[in-house]
Amino acid sequence: MEIDEVPGARLLLVLTHGSAGGVHAPDLLAVRDAAMGVGASVAGVTQAFRVAA
């Protein structure tokens, strides 16, 4: 999990990816940037199947 914090945030948005992408997919980065722009911290969660051995 990666957390991008905004000082004084009153909201934490948790984002995860679909089966074909990761937390750094362009659409999730756009949502992250928009949320941070309005004062929300954002957690990007990588699904377990992406990190399973």
Side-chain angles (χ1 to χ4, degrees):
M1 176 172 24
E2 298 176 21
I3 300 178
D4 295 305
E5 295 187 57
V6 173
R10 297 185 60 158
L11 171 73
L12 174 64
L13 176 65
V14 179
L15 294 176
T16 190
H17 56 83
S19 62
V23 294
H24 295 103
D27 55 344
L28 293 182
L29 293 178
V31 172
R32 179 203 65 189
D33 292 345
M36 292 178 72
V38 296
S41 291
V42 179
V45 178
T46 300
Q47 294 290 330
F49 70 86
R50 289 277 187 194
V51 294

